[in-house]
Amino acid sequence: MTPRIEVVAIDTLMVRLFQRIDEANMPWMLAARQRISTAFGTHLLDLVPSYTTLMVQFALPPSEARALITQALEGLQPDAGSGGRRHEIPVWYHASVGPELPVLAARSGLSEAEVVRVHSERDYPVFALGFAPGFGFMGLVDERLASPRLSTPRKQVAAGSVGIAERQTAAYPAVSPGGWNLIGRTPVRLFDREREGFSLLQPGDRVRFVPVSRSQFLALGGDDEAQP
């Protein structure tokens, strides 16, 4: 790994650690985030991790910031104990709230039950937050479930909707437009202004989707109104 530092703005640099998305990147990204945060201290204004990059905003001369980053990343090694939290997120997988569930089943040659099993049988690292507050981009889903975004995005996707786009998966934290393939819905509140940090998920966390019945979903506060 040879990090590359790119200029974004007069007070912002982009540290590119990798060229492609891979789950194995995450321990390195988290270690780099911690080292850079420590190196900049109070001069750090913002540090935004993503799939392969870290965006660093600072209150320092750019040359000093670049030197700090270079020094911080010397001898970088992933820290086995630096991972985020693990979340188990209940999901009611059903065509009424996940209209692409039968579509993915037909496309993959799996039954709907097998799609649910494959999607929920593993942990997904949270690569980044974006699109909407609390929206965590996760992956990578099994190649059999990989599906392109809808050619025409929906004008309204229900809060809690769980979907797949290419080999990524995510849950919508609020009602919004969206073009992901919906396969179920969670009752979990992913963004809450009363919660410290607001977002339930953070880059480096891991998520396991846990299938639940409709009655369990409703008991947990879920809304079973059909997705338009």
Side-chain angles (χ1 to χ4, degrees), residues 64-162:
E64 290 185 28
R66 184 180 289 268
L68 275 178
I69 292 171
T70 300
Q71 184 179 12
L73 297 182
E74 286 181 1
L76 181 69
Q77 290 292 327
D79 181 356
S82 65
R85 296 173 297 169
R86 183 179 185 274
H87 307 269
E88 290 193 350
I89 294 182
V91 177
W92 177 39
Y93 293 91
H94 193 271
S96 65
V97 292
E100 278 73 59
L101 179 59
V103 176
L104 264 63
R107 183 180 294 158
S108 64
L110 302 172
S111 67
E112 291 184 24
E114 287 172 326
V115 170
V116 172
R117 176 186 60 78
V118 171
H119 185 257
S120 63
E121 69 182 359
R122 52 155 306 169
D123 288 2
Y124 297 104
V126 179
F127 290 119
L129 298 181
F131 171 64
F135 190 102
F137 291 86
M138 295 171 265
L140 297 168
V141 301
D142 188 291
E143 291 183 356
R144 292 171 292 177
L145 303 186
S147 299
R149 288 172 172 80
L150 304 180
S151 57
T152 302
R154 292 184 171 90
K155 294 181 180 180
Q156 181 173 301
V157 175
S161 295
V162 175

Side-chain angles (χ1 to χ4, degrees), residues 22 38 44 46 52 56 59 67 70 74 86 88 103-104 112 114 120-121 132 152 176 199-201 203 214 220 226:
D22 194 305
T38 300
L44 185 67
D46 200 5
T52 60
V56 186
T70 300
E74 286 181 1
R86 183 179 185 274
E88 290 193 350
V103 176
L104 264 63
E112 291 184 24
E114 287 172 326
S120 63
E121 69 182 359
T152 302
S176 71
S199 175
L200 175 66
L201 306 178
R214 177 176 176 270
L220 291 168

Side-chain angles (χ1 to χ4, degrees), residues 203-223:
D205 286 358
R206 302 187 73 83
V207 172
R208 172 68 67 96
F209 294 108
V210 180
V212 296
S213 66
R214 177 176 176 270
S215 61
Q216 290 172 311
F217 172 77
L218 293 174
L220 291 168
D223 177 6

